[in-house]
Amino acid sequence: MAGEYFSDFRDYLKALEARGKLHTWTRPVNKDSELMPLMRLQYRGIADDQRQAFLYENVFDSRGKKHDLRVATGVYGSSREIAALGLGCEQPLEIYEKWRNALAKPIEPRRVTSAPVQEIVYSGEELKKFGVTGLPAPVEEPGFSGGIRATAPFITVDPQSGVRNVGMYSGHFRSDHHLIAGIAPVHHAMLYHHRSAVRNKEPLPVAIVLGSLPDVTFVSAANLPYGVDELAVAGGIRGRPVDVVQCKTIPLEVPAEAEIIIEGEISIERKERGEPFSDYPGYLMVEREFRSVIEVKAITMRRNAIFTAILVGLPPSESNGISRTCREMMLYNFLRYSCAMPEVLEVACPEMGGGWNWWVIRMSKSHPSKPRQALHAASGMDPTSKMIIVVDEDIDPKDPDMVMWAMSFAMQPHQDVEISTGRSPLLDPSAHSLMRGREERSFPGAVGCSGLLIDATRKGPFPPVGLPKKSYMEQALKIWQEAEMPKLNLKTPWYGYPLGLWDDEDDRLAEKVVQGDYFQHKEVKGH
């Protein structure tokens, strides 16, 4: 992205539109039965590089109510290109160093006294009239979802230490004036802040930020170490401070340029049972667990505000795209810089692994020990990863066919595969049979769950890749283009190259064959 980072969410939408990455729906769309199914068609039927964000300008619900607010979805993570643009990068591979720079040079937030997000304030009697259902939250999986929710950055502050946390969670609508906090017990807001609130015997203030700039969304989803101020890292991404304003009813500061803020308090006593909802593994969560209640105190917003709906569920979906981007940036930074492994060239966390469970690391190999070192380091960084695979530098880690090729012919299971235990499944339903109660969800059974570490790199010289040499493929490509054949989307590798088991005599023989001399054979002594 040339120039400065976006001024606000609407400026970002203009950038998406200018790149052909935003489709605006002007026809009436039912948020309860049509809005997310339209987005699902795109995820199930269009390749990553062709996906767009959607902006719905004419939204109504199944009771016929017309919403004044617009709805945007897919704006943060519906494709690699969109995620990169949101982080201020022109190309997806640029996000690694952008992230490293933001972590190394965070910029503290800047307090302001007024903000666009407080142009309209619903509190007291006005809040009772408007209610949370005044927000056009869509039904995500019509026919299966047991409710509606807002998935977005949640801001909390430890009431004892003052440490701020910005985490990506869900607020499930339970009435016009309260939500259920969709926050796992192991996440910072519940693990640290809510426990401090319980000790203080006071509810925990929380602010839900809708229509944030992408930098705030990504830092909230990145699982940064506790104590790191996510808003300062967002400042590092945008290259300037995040302007924050005091909330109207609770003692928290929120991004001033956001579209909508839900101000509330998480109860330290009251819990309610949830209803089925879809999550990142791609299955409905049907356990109907009891979670803490959020009492809504106020809703503030910009005029003509835009509600951002992040689709969570069967990959590919936006939440998986966001998780994928965050895991890739964090794992790359950890391995290459914290573990001092310059051999690490790229990391891919495929959407179909939920952005969590399947990691592929592309690396050059300076020493035979390096692949195994990378596997163990990655395994130690995050206890939720299930499959970690290391491939050679000529394997595209984003291409599942190439990863399958590497696993099929560059490794032997008995010597190149390890099973690691003590893993945490989060919401992985394959672990459910091991669970005995809610508290064990994040670590079921006696030894937790397990993961696979796979070294799918070549362990020595290999024959050449079975494709024509580059010069011949380039000539074929020239002919193809001159003939105005269909546009190609060439996958790596699209030409052959040697990998050690090849010498000058082999080259001479192959060139003779190309010239039509088919019977130039090596003479083998003794035959």
Side-chain angles (χ1 to χ4, degrees):
M1 183 186 74
E4 294 186 357
Y5 193 73
F6 315 103
S7 59
D8 59 16
F9 183 72
R10 300 176 191 195
D11 186 35
Y12 171 58
L13 291 186
K14 290 178 183 176
L16 288 174
E17 187 174 33
R19 289 164 171 78
K21 293 298 181 181
L22 178 68
H23 178 80
T24 300
W25 292 84
T26 57
R27 60 159 288 164
V29 174
N30 187 329
K31 77 174 188 67
D32 296 328
S33 62
E34 297 172 342
L35 192 152
M36 281 307 190
L38 286 170
M39 197 66 189
R40 277 292 182 198
L41 287 177
Q42 178 175 226
Y43 281 123
R44 302 311 299 168
I46 296 179
D48 182 284
D49 62 352
Q50 298 299 312
R51 293 182 204 148
Q52 297 176 295
F54 285 175
L55 177 63
Y56 301 90
E57 292 191 330
N58 191 350
V59 177
F60 65 98
D61 65 22
S62 289
R63 296 182 178 181
K65 175 184 176 181
K66 171 73 167 62
H67 284 271
D68 294 330
L69 279 64
R70 295 171 286 170
V71 177
T73 186
V75 293
Y76 299 117
S78 55
S79 74
R80 288 187 179 275
E81 289 182 35
I82 287 175
L85 179 66
L87 288 162
C89 301
E90 287 290 351
Q91 300 296 330
L93 288 180
E94 295 174 11
I95 65 172
Y96 298 129
E97 294 304 318
K98 187 66 174 280
W99 182 252
R100 169 171 163 75
N101 184 69
L103 291 176
K105 300 175 182 177
I107 300 175
E108 291 299 315
R110 176 174 57 198
R111 295 179 179 86
V112 296
T113 56
S114 62
V117 76
Q118 293 176 344
E119 289 173 341
I120 299 173
V121 177
Y122 295 104
S123 62
E125 291 301 315
E126 290 298 316
L127 177 63
K128 290 180 181 178
K129 295 176 184 176
F130 185 77
V132 295
T133 51
L135 302 174
V139 176
E140 293 177 22
E141 315 295 350
F144 291 108
S145 294
I148 56 176
R149 61 178 163 175
T151 299
F154 280 44
I155 297 177
T156 57
V157 170
D158 189 310
Q160 295 180 327
S161 69
V163 171
R164 174 164 45 209
N165 181 69
V166 187
M168 178 68 74
Y169 310 125
S170 291
H172 299 260
F173 292 26
R174 292 296 289 170
S175 79
D176 266 330
H177 309 106
H178 73 279
L179 315 173
I180 292 178
I183 309 173
V186 296
H187 288 155
H188 294 163
M190 295 304 289
L191 187 62
Y192 302 119
H193 293 188
H194 194 258
R195 290 184 180 183
S196 288
V198 170
R199 289 193 293 269
N200 273 11
K201 299 181 179 179
E202 295 285 345
L204 178 68
V206 60
I208 303 173
V209 185
L210 295 155
S212 68
L213 275 170
D215 56 352
V216 174
T217 298
F218 279 104
V219 297
S220 74
N223 283 357
L224 288 165
Y226 184 68
V228 172
D229 187 349
E230 286 89 354
L231 293 185
V233 177
I237 292 172
R238 68 176 64 178
R240 65 174 191 272
V242 175
D243 285 342
V244 294
V245 68
Q246 178 74 32
C247 284
K248 291 295 185 180
T249 62
I250 55 175
L252 292 177
E253 295 172 331
V254 293
E257 79 281 341
E259 290 288 321
I260 302 167
I261 301 292
I262 302 174
E263 301 180 9
E265 292 177 340
I266 305 178
S267 174
I268 59 172
E269 298 173 345
R270 183 181 171 190
K271 293 185 177 183
E272 288 192 12
R273 192 186 77 160
E275 298 299 342
F277 62 93
S278 190
D279 219 306
Y280 74 87
Y283 297 93
L284 268 288
M285 301 293 114
V286 296
E287 291 83 2
R288 293 178 166 85
E289 295 176 335
F290 282 82
R291 294 188 182 273
S292 297
V293 167
I294 300 173
E295 201 68 40
V296 178
K297 297 297 183 180
I299 297 174
T300 72
M301 64 180 70
R302 298 186 65 167
R303 290 187 181 89
N304 193 27
I306 302 171
F307 182 93
T308 45
I310 294 176
L311 179 58
V312 185
L314 177 70
S317 70
E318 187 171 14
S319 69
N320 301 118
I322 293 170
S323 295
R324 167 185 70 182
T325 303
C326 291
R327 298 296 167 277
E328 289 173 354
M329 293 189 299
M330 293 185 69
L331 182 56
Y332 175 89
N333 185 72
F334 176 73
L335 293 176
R336 189 174 178 93
Y337 297 108
S338 298
C339 298
M341 297 182 68
E343 295 88 354
V344 173
L345 304 174
E346 187 180 357
V347 172
C349 300
E351 283 179 308
M352 292 311 295
W356 291 77
N357 280 22
W358 190 290
W359 297 355
V360 185
I361 303 165
R362 180 170 74 91
M363 62 188 301
S364 60
K365 197 160 51 177
S366 59
H367 189 270
S369 65
K370 288 296 182 178
R372 196 59 62 98
Q373 180 185 348
L375 287 169
H376 282 275
S379 177
M381 191 199 85
D382 191 321
T384 62
S385 56
K386 192 172 186 179
M387 302 282 291
I388 309 177
I389 306 162
V390 174
V391 296
D392 287 298
E393 60 186 304
D394 64 317
I395 302 297
D396 183 354
K398 302 181 294 301
D399 184 343
D401 291 335
M402 293 308 297
V403 174
M404 188 181 299
W405 184 53
M407 291 176 63
S408 297
F409 303 111
M411 71 93 178
Q412 284 293 317
H414 73 287
Q415 64 185 19
D416 297 322
V417 176
E418 257 183 79
I419 295 177
S420 63
T421 57
R423 315 301 292 168
S424 170
L426 288 183
L427 300 179
D428 181 352
S430 69
H432 285 188
S433 62
L434 304 176
M435 296 176 185
R436 298 294 183 271
R438 177 175 157 237
E439 290 304 315
E440 294 186 356
R441 172 179 287 284
S442 63
F443 201 84
V447 293
C449 288
S450 58
L452 277 179
L453 310 181
I454 303 174
D455 178 2
T457 60
R458 305 177 188 100
K459 313 305 185 295
F462 263 58
V465 172
L467 291 168
K469 272 190 177 179
K470 185 177 182 180
S471 59
Y472 298 105
M473 289 300 290
E474 287 177 334
Q475 176 62 21
L477 180 60
K478 182 179 178 182
I479 295 170
W480 182 279
Q481 293 168 341
E482 288 173 350
E484 296 183 348
M485 295 291 285
K487 184 179 178 181
L488 297 170
N489 182 21
L490 294 171
K491 299 174 69 172
T492 301
W494 62 280
Y495 56 82
Y497 45 88
L499 290 166
L501 292 181
W502 194 254
D503 58 25
D504 291 342
E505 181 63 20
D506 293 319
D507 249 344
R508 187 196 67 79
L509 172 63
E511 287 304 317
K512 285 287 187 182
V513 170
V514 170
Q515 295 164 16
D517 194 351
Y518 309 130
F519 306 119
Q520 295 288 319
H521 302 298
K522 287 184 180 180
E523 292 186 5
V524 181
K525 292 182 179 179
H527 290 268

